[in-house]
Structure formats: structure tokens, C-alpha cells
Amino acid sequence: MDSISVEARVPAYRRPHLLHRCLTSLIAQTYEHWTAIVLDDSPNREAQKVVNGLRDPRISYRPNPIQLGCSGNIDAAFNPTAYLNGDWSFVLEDDNWLAPTFIEMNLIAANTYDTNVVLRNQTIVQDDGSPAPGIMLATVQDDILGNADRRFSPLQIQAAMTVSTGLSNGGIFWKLGTDNDFTVGPSINSSQVQEFCRTLRLNTSVAYASEPLAMFSLPLNNETSREGLSNRQFSRTRQALLRHLLGRYQQDFTRALATLPMSPEMRQRSRIAMADALHLPSLRPVTPASLLAAAKGLAKVLFTPDPTASFSSASASLVANRPTSTNSATKHV
């Protein structure tokens, strides 16, 4: 693996103390053949001092000529073309950080499952590293994709959107120079909606790596560069994209959903999300909860604008020809 170059993209904005932790976790990687580019969206360029202070020639600094906003800066970090001649890439937002074996184990997973995309599980913490109170899941994916490494089809990962965003920014590790393009474009100006749309762009099988080697940080206060999104907008986003996938793949989608190793609680939440998407078979057996979800779903379709409308119409052909096989034999790394 020593001949493989891995490129980290680090979108940053006015959080130099968190950026320092983030970049220090990169320097501590057991796999040393990496480079990093810090994409600074702050006009005050606080990140430059952090990069200069670390004195690691593998870390480059690039201020944005104009402010892109959170969603624009993150989307730039998913550019499918190498910034630093890397072979593989991942996005590390400035408030997140990595376990020392993150890069090494992702390369092993990609080789084991012969895939161009790895989805790495993450641990949910607060900015100070402490456990996140009130969070149902200690990790992002355990109750959805299971606790064993395995391969998933694109449609299976997209079916996970019934209870999550599917792909998570901090979990995607992908090979450059392939047809993997996770950029969303300027029509989506919410970083949260972006993650749903990024999942829709997946067109290849994924190696799911269940060991959580990345830390997904929740802010302790309002110190965040992410745009807010109301619960209604978030729910409408999920509903719209599920309806898009159901319309395109119909029974293939529901079969893919049935193969996911969800916990019973996640399975029930998934069923309610499908009812919310007005998938009538999901109402059976009819329960007050499923009827209420369908009624709310109809109200959203009628009265709440679709935040993804421009993206969905522009990208309708993106997932048209990809495989829908749900074969995913479990194999430990």
C-alpha cells in the first residue's frame, strides 16, 4: 500500500482550535503517505496560522477567493479531481477528527472488497470529545448497516435513507480518477440536504467498514458553520428523495431495504418513513402511527416545497444505469 497516495480535504471556517485537533489526528496516522489541503472559507484566514504552526509539509493551505458558505465549501472538498495528485480521498471537516488507523484500515477494506468507495462508521461525540448526551446511537451506522464489515449495493445504501442520510460526509473514502463524483452543485445550499443528495449520486458498490475510526462532532453551542434546517425541511428532503427512488426502482428499492440488517427499532422507523413517503404497502398492517405518518406525508407533499426539486430533476439520469443487486455476503476484514 505504500505506493498509494491519500488526499484529505479539510473544509475550515473560524474554528482554529478545532482545526488544530483535526490536523493533529492526521499527523498521527499510521499510514504516512497522505497529503491534506485546508480549504479556508473565512475571510480572516484563521486556519493559515494553524497550518503554519504545525510545520508539516504534507499539509497545504488554500483560502477561498470568495466565500462559498458551508455547503459550497464542503461541496468543493468533494471535487472528483485530485487537488494534490492523490489516488484516494476523503473529507475531514474541521470539527471532526480521526483515530490513528483510519487511513490504513480504509485502504485495507477497499482492497478486501475490491471497491472504489469505503463507508467508514463513525463515533458521535461532542466538540470536547465527551459522549453526546441524548443521542440514541453511539455510532452513525451500527443499528442501520450492522456491526460486521460487508459489501452493500448502491441501492441498499440509498435505502438506508429511510432512517439516516445514507452516506455521511465524514465516512466516505473514495478512489479518485473513477466515475465517483459526490459533488452536489449550487442548487442545494444546505449542508444537511447535501448529504442526502450525495447518497443519490452513489453509483458503485460500497465496502462498509463497521469499526468506528472517525469522530463525528456535535457542537456544544451555536459555534458551527452548518446552516440550520428545520425538522419539517429535513423530513421533506427525505420524503422527496425516497419518493424519487421508489418511482424509479419500485420493488427493487423495497427489496434492497428489506436486506439491511437494521435493529427492530430502526426497522420500525424505516416503515414510518416509507409511509410518510406515501408508499401504500408500508401501511400494512395498518396502525395509528402509520396512518398518521401517511397523513403528515400527504400534507408535506401538498404544502411544503421540495428542497431537492432542482437537484432531482438535474440528476435524474445519474442513477439510471447502476446495478441494483442486493447481494452482500458478509466477510470480516
Side-chain angles (χ1 to χ4, degrees), residues 113 145 148-152 206-209 259 261 328-331:
Y113 292 98
L145 301 180
D149 298 346
R150 62 193 297 178
R151 182 197 301 268
F152 287 104
V206 169
Y208 170 58
T259 65
S328 56
T330 301
K331 179 179 179 183

Side-chain angles (χ1 to χ4, degrees), residues 3-31:
S3 63
I4 299 174
S5 174
V6 177
E7 184 176 296
R9 285 88 176 272
V10 185
Y13 181 76
R14 291 183 174 174
R15 297 184 286 198
H17 58 299
L18 297 179
L19 176 64
H20 185 275
R21 179 185 63 187
C22 162
L23 295 178
T24 300
S25 76
L26 261 179
I27 294 171
Q29 290 297 296
T30 56
Y31 187 83

